[in-house]
Every structure is written in structure tokens, then in C-alpha cells.
Amino acid sequence: MSKGRSAPRTRSLVRRLSAAALAAAVVAPMLASCSNGYEQGVLNIYAPADGFDYIKQFAQTCSDESGGRYKLQANVLPKGADDQRLQLARRLAGNDHTLDLMAMDVVWTAEFANAGWMVPVPEDTAAEIERTNLAGPVASAMWQRPDDPSKRLYATPLWTNTQLLWYRPDLSKEMLGTRKAPTTWDRMLAETQIIRKQGGPSWIMVQAKQYEGLMVWFNSLLASAGGSVLDPNDPSKVTLNDTPAHRASTLKALQVMKAVATAPGHDPSITQSDEGTARLGMETGKAAFEINWPFVWASARTNGATGDVAFLQDVLAPYKDMLTDEENPPTDAQLAPINVKMRKRFDFALFPGVFPDKPAKSTLGGLNLAVASTSQQPELAAEAAKCMTGEQAQKVYAISGGTPPTIEAIYDDKDFKLAYPMGDDIRTQLEADHAAIRPASPQYQAISTLVTATLAPVGAWDPAQMVDDLADQVQKAIDGEGIIP
């Protein structure tokens, strides 16, 4: 998941159906388009529209390298994550034997595993994945079903993502006397007020409208404050207010959100902000700081070259022809010296922390690849999954497709380093101490829907009361009283 996942939902409550019941209720119209036959040696992989071209490209590579053992056919899923999930659920509930491999949002693992729709990763392969992949992405693919003795890997990390802090070191030097980025939210808030009083831009760009981006922001702050929505060892237990320490963590996260949303000189449209508006707020010079995914780097570089980013115009104007040539785009080696110059005006840093003495944690996005329980060729599908998620494949997805890899060794690769000037920071945030995983639960869709509906409009509430309101809503989701996703 490179950016936000779902559109705003209504707040009316109806009893939530389980994944299987939901799929059964809607599967009938889909059955006509789901073939129940399969062809030996032919494996169908379903992947989202974003990044699909690279999945298709490497599916051919894996097919060629298999020596004729299998042929991978790539099938595109809808662009929206909710629509992707619904189509996969329909096919799985309809026992579609042509569904072999599925690229899944990192938040679906628990739901699909509990429904019996995923084949666990073979133990020897799982051990290799855990050894070679970064801890954060691996954790997003782990789950313990009621019949599992312990957590196990149900999917293989395909690619990942993490949010960074983006800022203007030239502005910071001029108005704050330093080029260093703030390391905590409280410090960032204080710095924006110093900048504002000198007539500079004071917006802090975040994702705060009623959608998945708001869940990501809250979860990052909560994890950074030392809290969690659910007990990671007991997903039926809500941990937002069950102990004084947990309540304090939740309260601090909410206090930060309210402070950002109500600070003097804040973004006046913050309750409707998403990844796109955050990018624009920074590029138009209205913001001092921005929380966003790494896609904003290439955007600022291209738009700066065309003159649409005033604070980058003089730096990038000499490279306009190169940077805007769509037929002959510059190589990563050609971009490297331009990136160095850009960083003097537009730079990145680790996600800010909530407390100076606690590590900051940023919520992960991305996709995992799973073998569907409907596959009539699960062993062959598992072999293909290893190829589709291996180091060679992930380099293609990362360098050509712009999706950060999960395999740690790639972060030391010279080609990757040229393409990702922020690669070291991304790797740090994917490690166990800095990666925040969204609540692992079969009811995640309902949890997210109710949390974001309760938090919206962001900041228009009392943080102390909101602690209990959120806990009540999450408990409703766990008890099956949430909104149907």
C-alpha cells in the first residue's frame, strides 16, 4: 500500500458479517466470471493495478526461469484496495481453482488466514524469509490461527513502504539556525511557531481526513508513544485504556493529533488532507514540514524542474530538459548529483518521535504474496512465489517500480542506493524497533472504519474523552458490531 486505502465511510452501525459470510452473500453475481477449472502448470497471480506492469514483467521472467515447470499469468485487480479485497474474497468463497497467488494488502493477513483462504508458507521457506527480510514487513505477514501452535508466516513480503518526515533545510537554517530536522512532534510544533512568527510557512502536512490515512497517522503516533490498539498476543483484547500506562500512551498520541490540527497557523483544510494535498502543501511553499511516503521526492524533483516548486526552481531549472523528457528519462546515475543539490532545499528525515526517549515508529504499507487455498497446485504456486518475491524480483519492483524492498541485502546494493537517496532511513524504519504494524485482527476493516469515523473531524474533540470513545468503538468491532466493510 503506497498511500491511503479506503474512502470515508458513514457512521451508521450495522452488525458486521464475518469474511466468509460477507463473501458468501456477494459471491453469486461473481460466479459466472469465476472459472472453477484450471490448467496443469498454469498459475494465475492476481495483483493490484498499482505496480501491475512490474508484476507482469517478472511473472514472465519466473516462467522462463522455471524450465517449463509452470507458466505464470498475471491478472490485474481493481485500483482501490477495498475493491481488490472484495474480488479476492468472492473468488475464494466461490472456490475458484484458477486463483493460485494473490498480492494482498498487509492488513488482510489475519482475516484471510482465519477464513482458511491462505496456504501457510512452507517452514523451510519461512525460515529463509525471516532471515533475509526486514522484521517489520515479516511481522505484517505473520498470524496465528486458532489451530496454530504459534504465529507463523502466511504470506511472503513482496514490497513495503514507510512514511518519512520531509522538510526544508534552507528554511530551517534561515529561521531556526539549524539544518537538522526535528526529532519529535513537540519540537516540530514549536519550530513551526518560530517560523510562523517570522512570516514563514507554518503548516504541518499530514493525512487527516476520514480514511485509512488517518488510521495510519494515529497508529504511528500511538506506537511511538508506547501503546497499541490491541494486545499483539491476544487480538481480542483492546489495549487503548486497559492500564494506566496504556491510557497515557493513547492520550499522548491524541494530544499530538489535536495540537497539529489546532496549532496557530495550521493547515486550514487539515480535516480533508490526504497524501496528495500534503504533497501540494509542501510544493506550493505553504508548509514547513510534511509527513508522507517516498513518492513525494520524485514529484518535487519533476515539478521543481518545471518551475512549479518555487524553492527548487533555481536549483533544478538547469536540468529541466533532462527531468521532463518522458521518452528518454534520466538514469539513476544522472539523477544522483541532482538529488544531492535538491537536498539542500528539500530533504528527508526519520519519522518524528512522540517522546525523546522512545523510538519513533512509522506504520508500514505494502503488499504480501500468498498462495490461495483454492489453488490445485499449491506446491508449484509456492515455488513461483519464491521467485516473484526474491532478491532479483524485488530489485525490479524497487528500482523500476518505486516500491521499497523488504529484503535487507538490497539496501546495500549500489543500484538501489542510486535510486533511493533515502534508502538508509527507509531501512531503519523497517526494523523491529521502528516499524509500526496496524492492529492484526480478522476484524481490521471494521476497526479502521470505526476508529477513523470516531477521530473525524480530527482535533474537534477532547483527547481525554476520546481515549475511552476509541476503546469503545474498537471493542464494538471486535464484538462484531462494526460497519460492514
Side-chain angles (χ1 to χ4, degrees):
M1 184 188 76
S2 62
K3 289 176 279 187
R5 295 189 58 256
S6 57
R9 323 271 181 113
T10 64
R11 296 191 65 169
S12 59
L13 294 179
V14 296
R15 186 165 184 82
R16 184 184 184 275
L17 301 177
S18 68
L22 168 63
V26 298
V27 74
M30 189 71 183
L31 287 177
S33 63
C34 289
S35 168
N36 282 309
Y38 75 98
E39 182 179 347
Q40 182 62 36
V42 175
L43 298 172
N44 282 284
I45 179 171
Y46 284 80
D50 288 342
F52 178 77
D53 289 347
Y54 302 102
I55 292 288
K56 184 176 181 180
Q57 171 188 332
F58 214 80
Q60 183 61 54
T61 299
C62 290
S63 297
D64 294 342
E65 293 179 354
S66 76
R69 289 190 304 280
Y70 61 79
K71 178 182 179 182
L72 273 168
Q73 292 185 342
N75 303 273
V76 66
L77 289 168
K79 190 173 182 66
D82 286 349
D83 293 332
Q84 297 162 21
R85 174 175 165 272
L86 185 57
Q87 183 177 134
L88 290 174
R90 285 172 166 171
R91 290 183 177 276
L92 290 157
N95 201 28
D96 179 5
H97 294 318
T98 67
L99 173 56
D100 299 291
L101 290 165
M102 46 191 180
M104 301 174 41
D105 194 298
V106 291
V107 300
W108 300 342
T109 304
E111 180 184 16
F112 277 51
N114 259 28
W117 289 343
M118 304 162 70
V119 177
V121 177
E123 290 186 8
D124 57 340
T125 302
E128 180 182 355
I129 291 168
E130 292 182 46
R131 179 179 59 82
T132 58
N133 285 252
L134 288 154
V138 169
S140 75
M142 302 283 288
W143 182 246
Q144 183 179 359
R145 285 168 42 108
D147 55 343
D148 288 330
S150 60
K151 287 185 180 180
R152 63 190 305 183
L153 205 62
Y154 271 92
T156 305
L158 186 66
W159 59 62
T160 187
N161 218 338
T162 184
Q163 293 186 319
L164 298 169
L165 172 63
W166 305 85
Y167 73 107
R168 291 178 52 186
D170 60 328
L171 181 70
S172 295
K173 179 63 176 176
E174 177 187 352
M175 297 190 172
L176 302 171
T178 179
R179 289 184 174 272
K180 294 183 178 180
T183 57
T184 66
W185 285 86
D186 287 345
R187 183 60 196 165
M188 179 163 54
L189 283 159
E191 289 186 2
T192 59
Q193 294 310 303
I194 297 173
I195 293 171
R196 181 182 69 85
K197 290 176 182 178
Q198 297 179 66
S202 59
W203 295 7
I204 297 175
M205 307 308 301
V206 293
Q207 294 74 52
K209 75 177 184 182
Q210 188 182 330
Y211 81 123
E212 185 66 16
L214 179 55
M215 182 69 186
V216 168
W217 185 29
F218 170 66
N219 190 67
S220 296
L221 292 173
L222 180 62
S224 297
S228 63
V229 176
L230 302 176
D231 185 333
N233 296 314
D234 181 3
S236 67
K237 183 179 181 181
V238 180
T239 52
L240 292 167
N241 64 349
D242 62 322
T243 68
H246 287 163
R247 175 181 288 275
S249 295
T250 306
L251 178 61
K252 179 59 179 177
L254 293 169
Q255 288 172 336
V256 170
M257 296 182 80
K258 187 175 182 71
V260 171
T262 61
H266 71 271
D267 171 13
S269 300
I270 191 170
T271 59
Q272 296 301 315
S273 61
D274 57 18
E275 292 86 357
T277 60
R279 175 187 63 82
L280 285 172
M282 177 61 77
E283 290 186 2
T284 55
K286 297 175 181 178
F289 302 102
E290 172 190 8
I291 298 295
N292 221 327
W293 310 95
F295 81 98
V296 301
W297 179 258
S299 173
R301 189 172 56 206
T302 299
N303 292 336
T306 59
D308 293 330
V309 183
F311 59 85
L312 289 175
Q313 186 173 2
D314 61 331
V315 173
L316 297 178
Y319 309 102
K320 178 179 180 179
D321 291 343
M322 177 195 300
L323 293 174
T324 58
D325 187 349
E326 296 182 1
E327 294 184 359
N328 186 32
T331 65
D332 290 326
Q334 290 173 315
L335 291 173
I338 300 175
N339 291 336
V340 172
K341 293 182 179 180
M342 269 187 67
R343 292 190 64 180
K344 296 179 180 179
R345 302 287 184 86
F346 182 56
D347 208 356
F348 45 83
L350 295 173
F351 193 88
V354 170
F355 296 112
D357 59 344
K358 288 185 182 294
K361 296 193 175 186
S362 177
T363 300
L364 301 191
L367 292 177
N368 298 324
L369 189 64
V371 175
S373 61
T374 55
S375 176
Q376 298 297 290
Q377 307 168 84
E379 293 183 0
L380 203 58
E383 178 185 341
K386 285 186 66 174
C387 181
M388 290 294 297
T389 59
E391 188 168 336
Q392 183 184 359
Q394 288 204 16
K395 276 192 66 174
V396 170
Y397 308 146
I399 296 173
S400 300
T403 50
T406 69
I407 296 175
E408 185 170 15
I410 297 176
Y411 286 83
D412 294 321
D413 180 90
K414 60 181 179 60
D415 295 329
F416 174 82
K417 283 183 171 293
L418 280 176
Y420 284 77
M422 71 294 296
D424 288 343
D425 285 351
I426 292 175
R427 171 165 53 184
T428 294
Q429 294 192 179
L430 298 176
E431 295 170 347
D433 288 344
H434 294 278
I437 308 302
R438 277 169 277 190
S441 168
Q443 286 81 33
Y444 177 77
Q445 297 298 132
I447 291 171
S448 176
T449 297
L450 289 171
V451 166
T452 55
T454 305
L455 288 173
V458 66
W461 28 256
D462 172 54
Q465 180 60 46
M466 180 55 70
V467 174
D468 295 316
D469 290 346
L470 283 177
D472 289 345
Q473 294 302 315
V474 174
Q475 190 63 59
K476 286 181 179 180
I478 296 297
D479 292 342
E481 299 175 2
I483 300 171
I484 295 179

